[in-house]
């Protein structure tokens, strides 16, 4: 197979993944996702959904979340944020017990608090202050801890 053929298949695969993600995000737009609110010098989103979890060890990595964005026209869309997690990030399960980043799963609902300093990348990246896993809308959090 030529290099051009392999490259075309690679980009076709990427487009299919992006289309699936777009459809998934469109479906979630009517699913009561929270939006960003300001709480003094921090920002908060309640009822966000986890799209991806990456961890390099039990306490550092990131989660990619989806949340709603209400517009003045009355239309609500969804957007994503990458929450960078470090050793200072507090992660609690639905019983308010500490858990590690490795306990979070795609599809879980979370309440998140984060720094207002964001990168201008797509998706924007921010430092997570706290992540609270909710008991509905995804797999239940267990009471085990990795810390």
């Amino acid at each position: 197979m030529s290099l051009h053929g392999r490259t075309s298949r690679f980009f076709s695969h990427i487009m299919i993944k992006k289309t699936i993600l777009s459809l998934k995000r469109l479906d979630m737009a009517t699913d009561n996702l929270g939006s960003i609110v300001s709480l003094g010098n921090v920002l908060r989103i309640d009822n966000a959904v986890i799209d991806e979890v990456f961890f390099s060890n039990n306490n550092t990595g990131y989660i990619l979340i989806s949340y709603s964005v209400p517009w003045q026209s009355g239309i609500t869309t969804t957007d994503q944020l990458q929450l960078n997690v470090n050793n200072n990030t507090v992660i609690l399960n639905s019983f308010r017990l500490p858990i590690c980043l490795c306990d979070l799963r795609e599809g879980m609902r979370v309440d998140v608090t984060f720094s207002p300093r964001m990168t201008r990348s797509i998706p924007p990246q921010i430092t997570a202050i706290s992540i609270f896993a909710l008991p509905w809308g995804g797999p239940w959090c267990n009471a085990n801890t990795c810390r």
Side-chain angles (χ1 to χ4, degrees):
M1 180 181 287
S2 71
L3 179 59
H4 179 359
R6 281 185 269 173
T7 304
S8 293
R9 284 182 45 201
F10 174 74
F11 285 114
S12 294
H13 183 68
I14 288 175
M15 291 306 296
I16 290 169
K17 280 187 163 186
K18 285 184 177 183
T19 302
I20 290 170
L21 179 60
S22 295
L23 290 173
K24 180 177 155 186
R25 288 170 58 193
L26 180 63
D27 183 46
M28 290 184 318
T30 60
D31 208 12
N32 297 324
L33 293 176
S35 58
I36 296 178
V37 293
S38 178
L39 299 173
N41 61 353
V42 297
L43 300 175
R44 181 175 177 90
I45 301 174
D46 289 334
N47 204 32
V49 68
I50 297 176
D51 293 328
E52 181 182 342
V53 179
F54 172 82
F55 49 92
S56 51
N57 62 43
N58 292 336
N59 300 319
T60 60
Y62 68 85
I63 62 171
L64 187 65
I65 61 166
S66 289
Y67 65 98
S68 69
V69 180
W71 296 89
Q72 288 181 349
S73 64
I75 295 173
T76 300
T77 60
T78 60
D79 212 344
Q80 290 184 309
L81 287 176
Q82 178 177 315
L83 293 164
N84 295 321
V85 177
N86 59 38
N87 290 328
N88 296 322
T89 304
V90 175
I91 307 174
L92 302 175
N93 68 8
S94 59
F95 302 108
R96 301 233 180 236
L97 296 172
I99 58 174
C100 70
L101 181 60
C102 63
D103 289 324
L104 299 177
R105 300 283 180 262
E106 184 178 317
M108 281 183 164
R109 294 294 180 123
V110 290
D111 292 344
V112 295
T113 305
F114 50 91
S115 164
R117 295 182 189 175
M118 289 184 199
T119 65
R120 292 181 182 232
S121 61
I122 299 175
Q125 297 179 34
I126 49 184
T127 301
I129 297 169
S130 67
I131 301 169
F132 177 64
L134 301 174
W136 62 86
W140 280 79
C141 296
N142 62 33
N144 296 331
T145 180
C146 296
R147 292 184 187 209

XYZ file of all heavy atoms in Angstrom, residues 58-59 91-93 96-103 141-147:
153
model
N -0.990 7.329 40.284
C -2.302 7.407 40.934
C -2.813 8.824 41.153
O -4.009 9.033 41.297
C -2.262 6.683 42.282
C -2.099 5.194 42.103
O -2.435 4.644 41.059
N -1.587 4.530 43.121
N -1.925 9.810 41.213
C -2.332 11.154 41.613
C -2.119 12.240 40.570
O -2.490 13.382 40.811
C -1.592 11.558 42.890
C -1.887 10.610 44.028
O -3.016 10.191 44.208
N -0.868 10.255 44.784
N -9.694 14.661 45.369
C -10.647 13.839 44.614
C -11.422 13.002 45.622
O -10.826 12.231 46.387
C -9.941 12.925 43.597
C -9.015 13.735 42.691
C -10.977 12.170 42.764
C -8.171 12.889 41.757
N -12.750 13.170 45.628
C -13.607 12.457 46.577
C -14.659 11.651 45.830
O -15.135 12.065 44.769
C -14.312 13.444 47.504
C -13.423 14.376 48.329
C -14.281 15.370 49.100
C -12.543 13.584 49.271
N -15.048 10.521 46.415
C -16.129 9.730 45.821
C -17.470 10.195 46.384
O -17.543 11.170 47.128
C -15.888 8.225 46.027
C -15.985 7.786 47.469
O -16.380 8.536 48.351
N -15.618 6.548 47.710
N -17.825 10.914 49.992
C -16.887 11.944 50.456
C -15.606 11.353 51.021
O -14.964 11.943 51.896
C -17.542 12.881 51.473
C -18.752 13.583 50.897
C -18.631 15.057 51.088
N -19.808 15.720 50.535
C -19.728 16.659 49.614
N -18.577 17.017 49.154
N -20.814 17.232 49.164
N -15.224 10.195 50.507
C -13.956 9.566 50.874
C -12.945 9.836 49.768
O -13.298 9.859 48.592
C -14.130 8.055 51.064
C -15.053 7.632 52.201
C -15.297 6.130 52.160
C -14.461 8.044 53.541
N -11.668 10.039 50.138
C -10.661 10.317 49.109
C -10.435 9.101 48.204
O -10.397 7.968 48.676
C -9.402 10.647 49.904
C -9.676 10.302 51.311
C -11.132 10.073 51.488
N -10.342 9.366 46.917
C -10.004 8.343 45.936
C -8.892 8.899 45.063
O -8.565 10.088 45.145
C -11.221 7.932 45.074
C -11.815 9.135 44.343
C -12.270 7.228 45.930
C -12.940 8.786 43.365
N -8.324 8.075 44.234
C -7.274 8.565 43.345
C -7.825 8.766 41.942
O -8.938 8.340 41.618
C -6.088 7.610 43.338
S -6.402 6.050 42.523
N -7.043 9.390 41.131
C -7.411 9.653 39.752
C -7.730 8.355 39.012
O -8.632 8.309 38.177
C -6.268 10.408 39.063
C -6.453 10.813 37.614
C -7.658 11.723 37.460
C -5.196 11.497 37.110
N -7.030 7.289 39.355
C -7.237 6.000 38.682
C -8.613 5.405 38.963
O -9.047 4.494 38.261
C -6.137 5.012 39.059
S -6.093 4.592 40.805
N -9.347 5.898 39.958
C -10.694 5.407 40.259
C -11.769 6.077 39.405
O -12.904 5.614 39.370
C -11.036 5.635 41.732
C -10.256 4.727 42.659
O -10.013 3.564 42.287
O -9.887 5.183 43.758
N -18.681 5.127 42.290
C -17.321 5.216 42.817
C -17.198 4.248 43.977
O -18.121 4.117 44.773
C -17.037 6.625 43.340
S -17.076 7.849 42.053
N -16.064 3.606 44.077
C -15.878 2.704 45.211
C -15.193 3.451 46.347
O -14.712 4.554 46.187
C -15.097 1.461 44.799
C -13.709 1.764 44.303
O -13.075 2.702 44.775
N -13.238 1.004 43.352
N -15.166 2.834 47.506
C -14.597 3.482 48.686
C -13.114 3.216 48.817
O -12.475 3.644 49.754
C -15.317 2.969 49.950
N -12.524 2.493 47.842
C -11.091 2.225 47.888
C -10.306 3.484 47.592
O -10.761 4.365 46.886
C -10.715 1.136 46.877
C -11.353 -0.176 47.206
O -11.620 -0.476 48.366
N -11.626 -0.971 46.185
N -9.119 3.525 48.087
C -8.252 4.676 47.821
C -6.900 4.194 47.344
O -6.446 3.134 47.720
C -8.112 5.569 49.078
O -7.263 6.655 48.743
C -7.531 4.826 50.244
N -6.264 4.957 46.484
C -4.928 4.620 45.973
C -3.874 5.510 46.610
O -2.716 5.428 46.266
C -4.882 4.804 44.453
S -5.974 3.711 43.569
N -4.300 6.425 47.468
C -3.340 7.395 48.038
C -2.569 6.798 49.182
O -2.973 6.004 49.920
C -4.064 8.644 48.501
C -4.608 9.384 47.321
C -5.241 10.656 47.757
N -5.883 11.203 46.561
C -6.058 12.465 46.361
N -5.646 13.339 47.217
N -6.645 12.900 45.285
